[in-house]
Amino acid sequence: VQLAESGGGLVQAGDSLRLACAASGSTLSTYSMAWFRQAPGKEREFVAAMTWTRGRTHYADSLQVRYTISRDTALNTTYLQMNSLKPEDTAVYYCAAETLYYIGEDANLYDFWGQGTQVTVSS
């Protein structure tokens, strides 16, 4: 499966932004989709994940209040809605896919990755 992120950009603190991840090349019925992020000089960090068919979700504890993962099955697209953005949210955001319902936080268990989209939050 191929993943392509979009929607990143430069925003101010307090703004909202919605990222999109378009999937192609495979049916997603058993897949899980996830978002990770990586800030400069830091390790890749789990953000949120969702099973494709039933929409079961899992969030990083620190982000659950401000971030929401969703999907449009007709468009084969996963979204990440980010609200009340802070400068520390600045990172490259990656979309990832796993083939058998895994929605955990271990990046090594995800099989496919997009190229990432930059989100920069100014203070």
Side-chain angles (χ1 to χ4, degrees):
V1 64
Q2 291 78 47
L3 304 174
E5 303 96 335
S6 61
L10 173 63
V11 298
Q12 294 187 335
D15 286 351
S16 297
L17 201 60
R18 189 178 77 159
L19 306 181
C21 172
S24 61
S26 179
T27 57
L28 302 178
S29 58
T30 64
Y31 278 54
S32 295
M33 305 299 293
W35 289 95
F36 287 77
R37 68 183 185 181
Q38 188 165 18
K42 295 187 177 182
E43 293 187 353
R44 193 165 295 190
E45 175 188 21
F46 173 80
V47 174
M50 167 182 276
T51 58
W52 188 256
T53 300
R54 295 193 175 187
R56 186 167 58 98
T57 60
H58 174 58
Y59 290 90
D61 290 342
S62 61
L63 299 175
Q64 186 169 5
V65 173
R66 299 186 295 118
Y67 285 28
T68 303
I69 189 171
S70 63
R71 86 277 194 228
D72 186 324
T73 56
L75 296 178
N76 266 15
T77 299
T78 306
Y79 301 99
L80 183 68
Q81 177 68 41
M82 305 183 292
N83 299 326
S84 302
L85 283 163
K86 306 174 183 179
E88 50 264 43
D89 294 319
T90 296
V92 177
Y93 283 72
Y94 295 92
C95 178
E98 191 277 338
T99 59
L100 281 176
Y101 308 115
Y102 177 72
I103 55 171
E105 302 183 10
D106 188 346
N108 293 319
L109 298 183
Y110 287 85
D111 303 296
F112 304 97
W113 291 84
Q115 294 298 309
T117 185
Q118 176 71 46
V119 172
T120 303
V121 184
S122 64
S123 57

